[in-house]
Amino acid sequence: MSDAGPAHGTDNGPLAVICGGGALPFAVADAVGKRGRRVVLFAIRGWADPQRVAAYPHHWASFGQFGWFCRVAQREGCRDVVLIGSVVRPAIWKIRPDFKTLRLLPRIVGLLRGGDNRLLKGVAAIFEEHGFRLIGAHQIAPDILMPEGPLGRERPTAGDQADIATALALLDATSPFDVGQAVVVADTRVLAIEAAEGTDRMLARIAELRRGGRIAPGSGKGVLVKAAKRGQDQRVDLPSIGPHTIEAAAGAGLAGIAVVAGSTIIAEAEATAAAADRERLFVIGVRDHTATR
Amino acid sequence: MSDAGPAHGTDNGPLAVICGGGALPFAVADAVGKRGRRVVLFAIRGWADPQRVAAYPHHWASFGQFGWFCRVAQREGCRDVVLIGSVVRPAIWKIRPDFKTLRLLPRIVGLLRGGDNRLLKGVAAIFEEHGFRLIGAHQIAPDILMPEGPLGRERPTAGDQADIATALALLDATSPFDVGQAVVVADTRVLAIEAAEGTDRMLARIAELRRGGRIAPGSGKGVLVKAAKRGQDQRVDLPSIGPHTIEAAAGAGLAGIAVVAGSTIIAEAEATAAAADRERLFVIGVRDHTATR
């Protein structure tokens, strides 16, 4: 957040928000809009929610239309760009590249090999080389970051705290491998580690393992812990939670959720707190004790 | 294997094989029987295959019958015990403890918290305290261990070799957390890390992610890599592969399987090699470069 400030303010023209799925892009757009800066959505077809997109100035975009994006964003006067919302990396032959994208394709193919972090860093570099400034949602809308401490009414027990510490240490160990921002630990036992499947599927797996008796019912409820990868480019990929994370964690029978304060986006904080109270789950922002992350 | 030798020979009485699910217990029983030593199976109800059990001297056993086991094993003259085959940790209230087990119950409850390694080490200690000697399948039947080098016809590419190295390093990093003996890496990207779900479910997940387009088809086939945890008690839990592992890996669209030579059990080596050739997967025993494991 040290580089937030006047340069990200209204004097820098409208903000281009490249908008994937979920509620996050609109939370960012609203937070920025409230400060009086114009926002233009570039909504990704198949991912962004058309009903919600309609409420903002917007253009519909597809993967592979980078030349088109450069022209339209320049015409709108946008220099600053935020990339936010969920997308799944597309198969390379599903991309219909325009001329500029076509020239970048060998480089993009190279980026599609390897982990998300590598891919996103490469995409960020491409934007910057074309005169845009890529800005993190956390820089431009710091009010959407999870603060330290509990969010709703519930609190972690001493046992939950121990599970959180184990989980953070494990995430730190896997971090160099550009994998998994999330694990579930119950009663000192690691139940699941996220890789390509994403947090929602990992939580669905816990629910299934419980139903199948593979996790004995007496073995503790467990905590979902999410943390940004070490060396992750926070401008393009921060862990996030929202009401649906609460529902998924409740479905998995967990006691609560812990995230790293200041580097986790919380979409719809009030709705998330309300869901946590309803499901009797704790949600807590913890300090990151690993200075290296 | 340094403690294999005459002490594990026929002069030490019959061998008690506590027998879970799958083909491994019978592979061990056959390997030991071939050397002229009598084998008595203690087949765990609900796990051991009744048809195959019938071909050996056997008793049917249930969780919680530790006092009964001690009496029957002593009557059979068994001092050496092998624990082998798949079981899922039972819920504590599903155990119907006999008197001796009842007295051990507080300790067992404590062991059921935490990872598999901790649980199995505790169980091993209980056997030893009651005058039995717990022996690893790899000690008593070294011919069921995976040797170094390829098993069937196929060979890993240079890209596969790089994925194998990444996977071994990742398994080394997660090893202190008593979790996961298996990962899948494709084209330098970590696709899945095993925790409580087991290898079969992890491979089923890869197949599902591919079908759902979550793993783009162009992103490389991938390698399943299994390795024993560092500090693991090899007498009670070695990674294992068999024909069904080949089928599951083929279903997940992988290029092959790598395991650590000398510390992985291979059940039905010939059938496994035949399945690998049929599915055109490589299976390779690699040297463990991490001396600490």
Side-chain angles (χ1 to χ4, degrees):
Chain A
M1 262 170 286
S2 56
D3 52 339
H8 294 161
T10 51
D11 54 339
N12 211 32
L15 177 73
V17 175
I18 300 183
C19 167
L24 276 183
F26 310 107
V28 171
D30 291 346
V32 173
K34 262 183 211 157
R35 301 184 181 193
R37 184 169 184 184
R38 177 177 157 85
V39 173
V40 181
L41 300 190
F42 289 80
I44 300 173
R45 224 179 287 278
W47 289 101
D49 176 349
Q51 282 199 308
R52 298 200 63 179
V53 165
Y56 304 80
H58 67 275
H59 302 276
W60 282 99
S62 297
F63 291 115
Q65 304 298 304
F66 186 64
W68 168 87
F69 170 80
C70 292
R71 285 193 305 278
V72 177
Q74 271 153 14
R75 195 194 309 144
E76 291 275 9
C78 300
R79 270 202 68 235
D80 293 350
V81 177
V82 170
L83 277 173
I84 191 149
S86 58
V87 290
V88 167
R89 39 171 83 200
I92 195 75
W93 59 80
K94 287 199 177 160
I95 296 177
R96 301 208 178 177
D98 60 20
F99 184 68
K100 196 186 278 292
T101 312
L102 198 62
R103 284 173 54 203
L104 289 164
L105 216 51
R107 191 163 151 198
I108 294 169
V109 170
L111 292 172
L112 285 171
R113 304 174 66 232
D116 284 342
N117 200 15
R118 189 164 167 276
L119 170 62
L120 290 167
K121 277 188 177 175
V123 168
I126 290 173
F127 276 93
E128 307 253 308
E129 288 164 22
H130 286 79
F132 296 102
R133 182 164 54 171
L134 209 64
I135 297 181
H138 62 298
Q139 295 169 316
I140 207 141
D143 27 338
I144 63 168
L145 290 179
M146 179 74 183
E148 207 174 316
L151 190 73
R153 261 197 315 266
E154 305 292 327
R155 300 288 180 272
T157 65
D160 296 329
Q161 298 275 16
D163 287 343
I164 293 168
T166 300
L168 286 173
L170 174 55
L171 286 168
D172 205 48
T174 59
S175 187
F177 296 91
D178 195 1
V179 64
Q181 299 176 295
V183 299
V184 175
V185 179
D187 222 357
T188 76
R189 183 178 175 214
V190 180
L191 296 184
I193 306 177
E194 178 186 329
E197 74 274 25
T199 305
D200 289 354
R201 281 166 196 261
M202 180 184 68
L203 291 175
R205 172 160 92 245
I206 300 282
E208 194 192 310
L209 291 173
R210 283 203 207 272
R211 279 194 302 271
R214 182 103 191 181
I215 302 169
S219 64
K221 300 187 78 177
V223 182
L224 166 68
V225 180
K226 298 191 75 164
K229 279 170 263 188
R230 204 192 295 160
Q232 182 162 330
D233 188 335
Q234 300 206 334
R235 293 173 308 167
V236 284
D237 188 24
L238 279 178
S240 67
I241 57 167
H244 80 281
T245 319
I246 306 292
E247 303 303 338
L254 303 188
I257 300 171
V259 298
V260 175
S263 66
T264 307
I265 295 175
I266 173 151
E268 307 167 280
E270 278 175 39
T272 305
D277 287 346
R278 192 171 58 242
E279 300 286 0
R280 308 199 59 158
L281 258 69
F282 69 82
V283 177
I284 192 164
V286 295
R287 203 179 297 203
D288 186 10
H289 55 101
T290 60
T292 49
R293 198 186 312 273
Chain B
M1 257 168 291
S2 56
D3 51 341
H8 295 161
T10 51
D11 54 340
N12 210 31
L15 177 72
V17 175
I18 301 183
C19 167
L24 276 183
F26 310 106
V28 171
D30 292 347
V32 172
K34 262 182 212 157
R35 301 183 182 193
R37 184 169 184 184
R38 176 176 156 85
V39 173
V40 181
L41 299 190
F42 290 81
I44 300 174
R45 221 180 289 278
W47 290 99
D49 176 349
Q51 284 198 307
R52 298 201 63 179
V53 165
Y56 304 81
H58 68 275
H59 303 275
W60 281 100
S62 297
F63 290 116
Q65 304 297 303
F66 186 63
W68 167 88
F69 170 79
C70 291
R71 286 193 305 278
V72 177
Q74 271 153 16
R75 196 194 309 144
E76 291 275 9
C78 301
R79 269 202 67 237
D80 292 350
V81 176
V82 170
L83 276 174
I84 191 150
S86 58
V87 289
V88 166
R89 39 172 80 199
I92 195 74
W93 60 80
K94 287 200 179 160
I95 297 177
R96 301 209 178 180
D98 60 18
F99 184 67
K100 196 186 277 292
T101 312
L102 197 61
R103 283 173 53 203
L104 289 165
L105 216 50
R107 191 164 152 198
I108 294 169
V109 170
L111 291 172
L112 285 171
R113 304 176 65 232
D116 284 343
N117 200 13
R118 190 165 166 275
L119 170 62
L120 290 166
K121 278 189 174 172
V123 168
I126 290 173
F127 276 93
E128 306 253 305
E129 287 165 24
H130 287 79
F132 295 102
R133 182 165 52 172
L134 208 64
I135 297 181
H138 61 298
Q139 295 169 318
I140 207 141
D143 28 339
I144 63 168
L145 289 179
M146 178 74 184
E148 208 173 316
L151 190 72
R153 261 197 317 266
E154 305 292 327
R155 299 290 181 269
T157 64
D160 296 329
Q161 299 275 17
D163 287 343
I164 292 168
T166 299
L168 287 172
L170 175 55
L171 287 168
D172 205 49
T174 58
S175 187
F177 296 90
D178 194 0
V179 64
Q181 296 177 296
V183 298
V184 175
V185 179
D187 221 358
T188 76
R189 182 178 175 213
V190 179
L191 296 183
I193 306 176
E194 178 187 329
E197 74 273 24
T199 305
D200 289 354
R201 280 166 196 261
M202 181 185 66
L203 291 174
R205 173 160 88 243
I206 301 281
E208 194 193 311
L209 290 173
R210 282 202 207 273
R211 279 195 301 271
R214 182 103 192 179
I215 302 170
S219 62
K221 300 186 81 178
V223 182
L224 167 69
V225 181
K226 299 190 76 164
K229 277 170 266 190
R230 202 192 296 157
Q232 182 162 330
D233 188 336
Q234 301 206 334
R235 293 173 309 169
V236 283
D237 187 26
L238 278 178
S240 67
I241 57 167
H244 80 281
T245 318
I246 306 292
E247 303 303 338
L254 302 187
I257 300 171
V259 299
V260 175
S263 66
T264 306
I265 296 176
I266 175 152
E268 308 166 279
E270 278 176 40
T272 304
D277 287 346
R278 193 170 60 242
E279 301 285 0
R280 309 199 58 159
L281 259 67
F282 69 82
V283 177
I284 192 162
V286 295
R287 201 178 299 199
D288 186 9
H289 55 100
T290 58
T292 48
R293 201 189 308 274

